Amino acid sequence: MKLKRMKFNNMFYLVFLLSLTISASCSKDEEDEQEFSIIGTWNIDKVAVWWEDNTTGELIEGPDGGLNTGTIVFNEDKTGTWTDTQEGEVSSITWELYNNQLTIAMEDDPGIQWTIAEKSNESLSLTYQKLTGNTLEKREIDLSKLN
């Protein structure tokens, strides 16, 4: 009887410790995900656009782009502005963030769905690809948070 009780107690403690470990690791993942916030003003550090032949991988045109080309402001109400300092234009935007996909729409444009390649509270790297026939358009944007 005493041996059965010891086995039960040992098993109970093992299950208890495992459940603590699992809940602690889940909490850490949730905290990491909650720590990232896109809300604020982001500097557009780098923009690159180029086109490749999808069958051969050969460069067709580009890369075009620039450094420090403006800012993007993401407001809490999922609106914001995209300021292009090279062209001297300011556009109103709406945005939606879901998992690692960020959709940004400018005024009457349906928007582009960007894939978040890397993110932290200080920097954000976005990529986009669109295949039209055999031409693959690729875009990359690197952002750094200003506030």
Side-chain angles (χ1 to χ4, degrees):
M1 182 71 98
K2 198 172 191 182
L3 184 59
K4 281 186 178 181
R5 179 174 253 172
M6 280 179 51
K7 284 183 180 181
F8 176 77
N9 286 341
N10 287 343
M11 183 63 90
F12 173 78
Y13 288 120
L14 180 62
V15 170
F16 177 72
L17 288 173
L18 282 173
S19 65
L20 281 178
T21 303
I22 291 169
S23 69
S25 65
C26 290
S27 296
K28 177 74 172 128
D29 291 343
E30 290 169 6
E31 286 173 12
D32 288 347
E33 195 63 34
Q34 290 175 357
E35 287 178 17
F36 174 74
S37 175
I38 198 165
I39 305 303
T41 303
W42 296 77
N43 188 61
I44 303 172
D45 298 327
K46 181 186 92 172
V47 175
V49 181
W50 67 97
W51 293 263
E52 295 176 358
D53 183 306
N54 192 49
T55 55
T56 65
E58 290 182 32
L59 187 65
I60 296 172
E61 184 181 336
D64 296 326
L67 302 174
N68 296 314
T69 61
T71 59
I72 303 176
V73 176
F74 295 100
N75 297 320
E76 288 185 30
D77 65 355
K78 299 191 179 190
T79 64
T81 56
W82 186 308
T83 303
D84 183 336
T85 54
Q86 291 181 333
E87 300 293 325
E89 296 177 358
V90 178
S91 300
S92 296
I93 65 167
T94 57
W95 60 272
E96 184 72 35
L97 178 63
Y98 182 74
N99 292 331
N100 275 347
Q101 301 296 315
L102 173 64
T103 302
I104 300 175
M106 292 185 185
E107 296 161 0
D108 294 331
D109 182 11
I112 292 178
Q113 188 174 47
W114 298 89
T115 299
I116 298 175
E118 294 180 32
K119 68 179 178 181
S120 73
N121 281 325
E122 294 83 34
S123 64
L124 186 62
S125 293
L126 306 173
T127 61
Y128 168 80
Q129 293 187 8
K130 179 182 177 185
L131 183 61
T132 305
N134 283 336
T135 303
L136 182 62
E137 175 187 355
K138 293 185 174 184
R139 300 182 187 194
E140 291 181 356
I141 298 180
D142 290 336
L143 307 170
S144 60
K145 198 162 196 180
L146 297 174
N147 67 16

